[in-house]
Amino acid sequence: MDKRLKKQIIFCVCFYFAFFAVLMIFGTFFDLEIDKALFNYENKFGIIMENWGMQAMYLVPLFAWSMLLSAYHPIDEAFDIAASIFPFFVYLKNNRATHFICFLLLHIMYGAFFYGAFMGSNDTLNTFMGAAFGSNLQDLLTNAGVSRTIAIILWAILRILLVAFIVFFFRKTDKKYKKALEFMAVAGILLYYGGDIINYIKAIFHRIRFREMIAYSNGLINEDGWSSRGASNLPREWIATTDFSAFDRWYKVGNDMGVYSEATSFPSGHTAAATFAMLLPALFSKCRALNKYFVPSFIIGFAYTLAMGVSRLIRGAHYLTDISAGAIIIFALMLLIIGIMDIFERKSEMSKSIIKDNMTILFQGDSITDCDRKREDLYNLGGGYPKYAAKYIKEKYPDYKLTFINKGISGDRSINLVERWKEDCIDLKPDFVSILIGINDTWRRYDSNDETTAAEYEKNFRYILEETKEKLGAKIMILSPFLIEVFPEQKQWREDLNPKIEIAKKLAREFGCIYVPLDEILAEKSLSTDKKLLSEDGVHPAEEGKKVIAKAYLKYL
């Protein structure tokens, strides 16, 4: 997370809590007076928000479970993911019996995801159709003369189609959003079920709603003697004839006196539901590609929560302290859930990550790595991708003490690395070595008629890897050589370069190295970016190209 975003998040969180805390304090003294001033039971805005405003919460299980369902992994892929976190899963994968059991458990889990999404679709469609048509589809069909069985089947089909559409949408979503979406899907589900705390608090405080006192005092009473608003209007004029003796401050336990049917005013459930809109800025803060939308989305979520709160005052459903408490409790619970998940995510990443505290990281290669570094300064990283890679790694592991060394030399081929490997790698005793070499092995064939065959390239690279494994035991990253075809004549280079790329890939697999397919990554990037912005000559990266390589470096760690 960059510093600017971190400052924005801290400011927005502090502002949110401060704002509603001030309202809470103000309402503690003036709750009843504020409701008397704002009450307008037939206000259209208040009615719309009461009928539709909780959708922010009802949408969560539908979209969250559908997101997890869309992240389906075949059993072998699921094993690989699990093994990256829990190594013993490798043995489970290779055992026939445990493989089958895990296969069943995996699909039971995805069945549970579907069930969650299916049930979430019920709440969402019921709320939508109830607000729009006064009833859900199956009741509308039954009232129209369709048999109950057919109506239920059609209702179920509609829900399944809705879930299928959302799953399809998420399956098509760009990969750069999926990790953040999966994270927030889990957070949203935990918040949805954890949000029941609001109902428990309501049961404890038992606070009488403003409008229930108006209804009872003005004769809206059912046969059991309880207040009963029904579909009746509650005119403002009735305030003058209302007995407000049942009103209590929020911190006192209320008394329904055996006549008030809705002693559930504190805290506001509708405002708590509206606070689920704050999951949107939380999502944007988690996804680097969406960080720029964090502040606008926070403003929208905050405004929506506040608008819901005001509408509840207008409808006489709650007091100022009720809406403030609802907004504070759910927002705090959301931050707690995300905070705990962040801790587990970081621990999981650190356990899987090759980067450890007090490591020495060595960048090796040719001019792409060298990039005008100052040779007399061992720790000078030059102006290329190593500079950016080191920056990104430090940002990701701010508490780690890491040493970065760049030993790339302009013009080097694989044979040159062999010649200087002892001095420029083994003697430095790095814990991690990244190697980007090969483009000069190709280039010299075309500009100097000095060919390095694929067999020679493999021999040289194999020597480097064997020496490193045997004498250092260091972790190794191989970045594939690459070419961005800026000039037409560079197309013929492919006949020489592509076999070398395959060799680099093969050796990475053979020696258990991290492999970064830079050629593929830059080729894909060049489809949406001007090639000249990535590299002026197709070989040496421009600033944008350097950053692309550095981001790939961090990603594959």
Side-chain angles (χ1 to χ4, degrees):
M1 183 183 297
D2 62 48
K3 292 180 181 178
R4 183 168 175 268
L5 177 64
K6 192 172 183 179
K7 287 179 181 178
Q8 289 175 344
I9 291 172
I10 292 172
F11 174 82
C12 288
V13 168
C14 291
F15 171 80
Y16 184 98
F17 280 123
F19 183 89
F20 283 108
V22 169
L23 293 189
M24 191 86 183
I25 294 168
F26 190 73
T28 299
F29 298 101
F30 302 106
D31 262 345
L32 190 59
E33 290 77 8
I34 293 168
D35 266 35
K36 287 179 180 179
L38 295 179
F39 182 68
N40 183 355
Y41 192 70
E42 290 296 298
N43 179 271
K44 289 184 178 179
F45 168 68
I47 294 171
I48 290 171
M49 292 299 285
E50 184 163 301
N51 291 336
W52 293 81
M54 294 183 76
Q55 281 289 2
M57 181 180 73
Y58 288 137
L59 287 171
V60 168
L62 170 60
F63 279 86
W65 288 117
S66 296
M67 177 64 229
L68 295 179
L69 184 60
S70 74
Y72 175 82
H73 297 283
I75 183 64
D76 287 336
E77 190 177 324
F79 264 118
D80 290 339
I81 293 170
S84 70
I85 305 172
F86 308 108
F88 66 85
F89 266 85
V90 172
Y91 305 104
L92 298 181
K93 178 182 179 180
N94 296 328
N95 182 285
R96 249 182 166 178
T98 54
H99 188 284
F100 179 71
I101 292 169
C102 289
F103 174 84
L104 288 179
L105 291 175
L106 176 71
H107 288 85
I108 289 171
M109 180 182 72
Y110 280 107
F113 291 169
F114 173 77
Y115 178 77
F118 183 72
M119 296 306 293
S121 70
N122 188 62
D123 292 337
T124 300
L125 288 173
N126 269 335
T127 305
F128 174 78
M129 298 196 73
F133 306 108
S135 183
N136 64 36
L137 180 63
Q138 65 187 61
D139 290 337
L140 289 172
L141 291 172
T142 303
N143 294 336
V146 178
S147 73
R148 187 72 177 170
T149 302
I150 297 298
I152 291 173
I153 291 172
L154 290 174
W155 177 242
I157 290 173
L158 177 62
R159 291 164 61 189
I160 291 170
L161 288 174
L162 177 60
V163 172
F165 173 78
I166 296 171
V167 169
F168 175 79
F169 172 79
F170 281 132
R171 293 286 288 182
K172 294 295 182 182
T173 301
D174 196 303
K175 287 182 180 179
K176 64 184 176 183
Y177 305 122
K178 286 191 175 180
K179 185 179 178 182
L181 283 169
E182 289 175 12
F183 180 96
M184 290 310 302
V186 175
I189 289 167
L190 293 174
L191 184 63
Y192 180 79
Y193 293 107
D196 270 349
I197 191 174
I198 294 294
N199 294 322
Y200 291 117
I201 297 173
K202 282 176 180 285
I204 292 170
F205 282 86
H206 216 61
R207 195 180 195 188
I208 312 303
R209 293 179 187 256
F210 180 83
R211 63 191 184 190
E212 292 306 308
M213 289 184 277
I214 292 178
Y216 184 82
S217 295
N218 290 277
L220 297 181
I221 305 170
N222 63 23
E223 61 272 15
D224 297 319
W226 292 84
S227 61
S228 177
R229 292 177 291 111
S232 305
N233 182 24
L234 302 179
R236 273 190 58 80
E237 293 75 22
W238 285 7
I239 294 176
T241 55
T242 296
D243 176 9
F244 289 110
S245 60
F247 170 79
D248 275 310
R249 302 293 180 193
W250 66 270
Y251 49 83
K252 294 181 179 180
V253 176
N255 182 0
D256 62 24
M257 300 181 181
V259 296
Y260 295 112
S261 59
E262 288 191 25
T264 54
S265 188
F266 181 86
S268 168
H270 271 71
T271 309
T275 308
F276 276 69
M278 300 308 292
L279 286 167
L280 191 62
L283 168 64
F284 290 170
S285 71
K286 286 292 295 181
C287 182
R288 185 183 291 272
L290 299 173
N291 284 172
K292 61 184 176 182
Y293 302 114
F294 169 74
V295 172
S297 64
F298 175 86
I299 293 170
I300 291 170
F302 173 79
Y304 181 70
T305 304
L306 182 59
M308 173 61 87
V310 172
S311 76
R312 304 310 283 157
L313 301 180
I314 293 172
R315 288 280 286 173
H318 294 286
Y319 305 99
L320 187 59
T321 49
D322 300 341
I323 68 164
S324 301
I328 289 171
I329 291 169
I330 294 299
F331 190 64
L333 181 60
M334 183 190 79
L335 294 180
L336 177 64
I337 289 169
I338 292 174
I340 293 172
M341 287 179 63
D342 268 332
I343 291 171
F344 280 105
E345 184 182 51
R346 281 199 298 271
K347 285 187 176 181
S348 174
E349 286 182 353
M350 286 178 181
S351 67
K352 291 185 291 181
S353 175
I354 286 176
I355 301 300
K356 306 294 180 187
D357 198 9
N358 296 310
M359 281 187 82
T360 296
I361 297 169
L362 174 65
F363 300 96
Q364 268 291 3
D366 48 37
S367 57
I368 300 169
T369 304
D370 183 338
C371 205
D372 299 323
R373 67 182 176 89
K374 295 178 181 177
R375 306 285 174 86
E376 66 277 9
D377 182 356
L378 181 64
Y379 305 108
N380 183 270
L381 297 178
Y385 75 87
K387 175 183 72 173
Y388 291 109
K391 175 178 178 287
Y392 298 152
I393 292 170
K394 286 176 183 176
E395 288 174 354
K396 189 170 180 66
Y397 303 97
D399 299 326
Y400 284 6
K401 183 180 179 182
L402 301 171
T403 302
F404 297 93
I405 299 173
N406 182 356
K407 280 291 183 175
I409 293 182
S410 182
D412 264 11
R413 291 185 280 178
S414 57
I415 187 61
N416 301 116
L417 245 59
V418 169
E419 292 165 353
R420 62 183 180 87
W421 200 247
K422 183 180 183 302
E423 180 184 352
D424 283 353
C425 180
I426 305 300
D427 292 349
L428 295 174
K429 295 184 171 65
D431 303 291
F432 181 83
V433 183
S434 66
I435 306 165
L436 172 52
I437 197 74
I439 190 60
N440 289 323
D441 293 75
T442 291
W443 199 352
R444 295 294 82 83
R445 172 182 172 181
Y446 296 97
D447 71 351
S448 305
N449 196 28
D450 186 2
E451 180 181 4
T452 300
T453 66
E456 290 170 334
Y457 177 76
E458 180 173 351
K459 178 185 174 184
N460 296 335
F461 217 143
R462 184 177 293 278
Y463 171 84
I464 290 166
L465 298 176
E466 287 174 347
E467 284 288 292
T468 308
K469 285 285 186 181
E470 180 184 338
K471 296 181 178 177
L472 289 179
K475 300 289 185 180
I476 304 171
M477 172 188 281
I478 295 175
L479 299 98
S480 79
F482 64 87
L483 176 65
I484 302 169
E485 295 168 20
V486 174
F487 304 111
E489 60 269 21
Q490 289 178 325
K491 286 187 178 181
Q492 65 175 319
W493 294 18
R494 282 289 168 189
E495 63 176 335
D496 188 279
L497 181 63
N498 287 351
K500 291 181 171 64
I501 292 174
E502 289 303 312
I503 288 167
K505 185 176 182 180
K506 181 187 79 171
L507 291 174
R509 188 165 53 245
E510 181 182 334
F511 284 85
C513 307
I514 299 172
Y515 179 71
V516 184
L518 279 188
D519 194 55
E520 294 175 24
I521 292 168
L522 289 163
E524 184 179 346
K525 186 69 176 177
S526 68
L527 296 177
S528 58
T529 306
D530 186 349
K531 290 181 179 180
K532 288 292 183 75
L533 292 177
L534 297 174
S535 173
E536 289 284 341
D537 61 3
V539 172
H540 301 97
E543 285 304 303
E544 182 63 23
K546 295 170 187 175
K547 292 177 182 177
V548 171
I549 295 172
K551 287 174 182 176
Y553 195 108
L554 178 65
K555 176 183 176 181
Y556 281 84
L557 279 176

